[in-house]
Amino acid sequence: MKPHKQIKDWGLGLTTPLIIAGPCSAETPEQIEQICKEMKEENMVPQLFRAGIWKPRTRPGSFEGVGEEGLKWMEIVRHHLNIPITVEVGNAAHVELALKHKVDVLWIGARTTVNPFAVQEIAEALRGVDVPVMIKNPMNPDLELWIGALERMYAVGIDKLAAIHRGFSDAYDKRFRNKPNWSMPIHLKREWTGMEVINDPSHIVGRRDGLLEVAQSAMNFGLDGLMIETHHDPDKAWSDAKQQVTPARLKEMIDSIDFKQPLENMKPDEKLQDLRRAVDHLDDQLLDILQERFAVIDQIGAHKREHHLTVFQSDRWKEVMESRTQKGVKKHLSEKFMKELLYSIHEESVKRQEKQLREAEPIKK
Ligand code: PEP
Ligand code: MN
């Protein structure tokens, strides 16, 4: 994947784990000032101050942001805290205004990332501009869309890039406002080496309780920072009142998180090296067994061909799924993992056998 400049190279003095905090929405100059003052009093000054200026709301009629006026209030942040600021942009006009007011970092929201037209419009407005851009995951768990938005920025010369993991909308799972689906940020990091992903527990959880647990998981998984909505009087916030925390609570949370060491720049110790060698060995065995299993599958394929049998036999499939899942669960493997594993093996087997049938010479009757 394409190289890009990491957070430490954005020229803003930022490091990882990057802590971003500030209100969901800028509401009034007094609100911004009060949040800044409390951050300072609590000794909880984030590295980057966030504020929504234009709010993409699900339904019309609710508070849609204060607009350009709010960009002027960002001077209050610079004055009290002397830290860079970031705002969400959703179209070319927002970009133009944010740049006019010298916003240091832009972010693209989840509702915008889903729309390649909007993302491209923002990219065109940024052609030739040197500003870092952070891209939230799209509402739906589509890795390609997320990567695509990052690529659209990269293609116009934005090489200071990061991603924000804010969870995915899910009609059924109501434990979260947006389900974390941790494999997504991890896949993104795998697909685009060196891409830093900031976790946004506020929009994942949607409530104050549970934020800490999600933030800790993000650090355990090796994500690169946290964006946490912070307000001096959360209950009275004009948007996302349920999920914002006070600067004092933010301080408590940050102090209690166990920030893990990134391994990349460190030589792993002896113990870890030994354990990794054990995993390498087991993976080799797993591959040998899979190879053997597929050789048997091919023999079954040949037999089915000979006897004019269909590849997919639903009774057998059901029996395999149920018995193996039960056995796996007894071995403390999760049911979800067992089902995904078996689906994947079965799909490969069926495809192999169907290919065998397609490519074989027809059997003379
Ligand atoms: C926000 O950060 O306030 C916001 C609107 O987030 P998202 O795009 O993740 O919904
Ligand atoms: Mn919000």
Side-chain angles (χ1 to χ4, degrees):
M1 267 289 192
K2 303 147 188 90
H4 65 285
K5 290 204 179 86
Q6 296 222 312
I7 287 168
K8 66 178 184 329
D9 299 317
W10 286 0
L12 296 169
L14 303 175
T15 53
T16 51
L18 177 66
I19 305 298
I20 308 172
C24 177
S25 304
E27 298 165 4
T28 62
E30 292 74 29
Q31 172 232 22
I32 297 293
E33 179 151 33
Q34 190 57 30
I35 296 169
C36 290
K37 277 190 178 157
E38 289 186 20
M39 283 175 163
K40 215 166 174 176
E41 276 163 26
E42 296 294 339
N43 200 13
M44 182 56 252
V45 178
Q47 293 184 59
L48 187 58
F49 189 93
R50 65 151 279 154
I53 299 292
W54 300 279
K55 299 305 295 177
R57 306 310 295 274
T58 305
R59 308 265 310 256
S62 44
F63 172 62
E64 299 206 310
V66 292
E68 184 176 2
E69 185 67 10
L71 291 171
K72 296 181 196 152
W73 310 337
M74 293 301 116
E75 277 312 316
I76 303 171
V77 179
R78 294 195 178 96
H79 173 75
H80 283 283
L81 303 179
N82 191 27
I83 54 170
I85 57 165
T86 181
V87 307
E88 174 175 352
V89 291
N91 59 35
H94 296 166
V95 169
E96 203 181 303
L97 288 169
L99 295 175
K100 182 175 125 192
H101 290 274
K102 308 250 176 321
V103 169
D104 304 277
V105 177
L106 307 179
W107 97 75
I108 295 183
R111 289 164 191 76
T112 306
T113 310
V114 290
N115 181 352
F117 289 138
V119 174
Q120 191 59 36
E121 177 187 319
I122 294 170
E124 293 306 336
L126 285 170
R127 198 179 279 281
V129 178
D130 180 24
V131 68
V133 177
M134 305 187 290
I135 304 200
K136 286 204 179 193
N137 64 253
M139 302 291 289
N140 53 326
D142 185 337
L143 186 62
E144 295 293 302
L145 263 181
W146 199 3
I147 292 179
L150 288 158
E151 285 174 338
R152 285 178 196 277
M153 296 301 133
Y154 194 80
V156 297
I158 301 287
D159 62 354
K160 296 171 178 170
L161 287 167
I164 301 175
H165 166 234
R166 53 78 79 198
F168 304 88
S169 142
D170 186 299
Y172 302 104
D173 195 339
K174 290 299 164 208
R175 284 173 303 161
F176 298 100
R177 180 177 176 196
N178 294 289
K179 205 172 171 172
N181 210 336
W182 293 103
S183 59
M184 286 285 154
I186 291 161
H187 274 316
L188 173 59
K189 276 171 128 358
R190 238 185 248 144
E191 291 274 315
W192 195 325
T193 311
M195 180 58 67
E196 285 149 321
V197 184
I198 309 300
N199 175 257
D200 170 352
S202 305
H203 291 88
I204 289 178
V205 180
R207 301 182 317 272
R208 280 183 268 288
D209 63 308
L211 287 181
L212 184 58
E213 202 185 325
V214 167
Q216 183 64 63
S217 291
M219 295 304 101
N220 296 348
F221 279 119
L223 300 199
D224 305 282
L226 296 167
M227 183 194 245
I228 299 181
E229 287 188 336
T230 312
H231 193 289
H232 67 287
D233 191 358
D235 284 335
K236 299 222 175 76
W238 297 2
S239 60
D240 288 351
K242 287 199 193 116
Q243 70 196 32
Q244 305 204 53
V245 293
T246 59
R249 176 62 192 146
L250 178 67
K251 165 88 174 140
E252 261 173 35
M253 283 172 52
I254 299 293
D255 284 350
S256 68
I257 290 172
D258 179 9
F259 288 96
K260 312 285 178 188
Q261 303 246 24
L263 253 176
E264 270 116 45
N265 312 322
M266 275 168 50
K267 197 171 148 28
D269 59 44
E270 280 292 315
K271 169 100 182 156
L272 188 59
Q273 285 187 36
D274 279 353
L275 291 170
R276 282 184 169 172
R277 269 193 289 272
V279 167
D280 291 347
H281 180 63
L282 288 165
D283 280 349
D284 285 342
Q285 287 183 322
L286 206 57
L287 289 176
D288 286 345
I289 289 182
L290 280 173
Q291 186 186 28
E292 229 177 282
R293 192 184 193 282
F294 282 116
V296 177
I297 291 294
D298 291 347
Q299 289 177 38
I300 296 178
H303 186 81
K304 283 177 179 168
R305 181 177 149 250
E306 210 176 305
H307 296 275
H308 295 280
L309 297 171
T310 58
V311 163
F312 181 63
Q313 305 282 341
S314 64
D315 288 351
R316 167 73 181 154
W317 162 236
K318 210 165 158 242
E319 193 268 311
V320 167
M321 271 304 267
E322 278 169 13
S323 65
R324 311 301 195 262
T325 303
Q326 270 176 25
K327 280 186 190 169
V329 168
K330 280 202 188 119
K331 291 178 190 288
H332 307 290
L333 301 170
S334 79
E335 189 176 329
K336 180 167 180 287
F337 169 71
M338 283 310 298
K339 291 211 161 120
E340 280 169 4
L341 180 69
L342 293 166
Y343 270 124
S344 163
I345 291 176
H346 182 254
E347 192 176 308
E348 182 66 9
S349 308
V350 169
K351 278 190 191 149
R352 262 174 103 104
Q353 291 186 346
E354 196 279 329
K355 188 162 181 269
Q356 242 178 324
L357 290 191
R358 214 171 346 110
E359 289 176 356
E361 289 287 312
I363 294 171
K364 292 198 181 69
K365 285 194 188 146

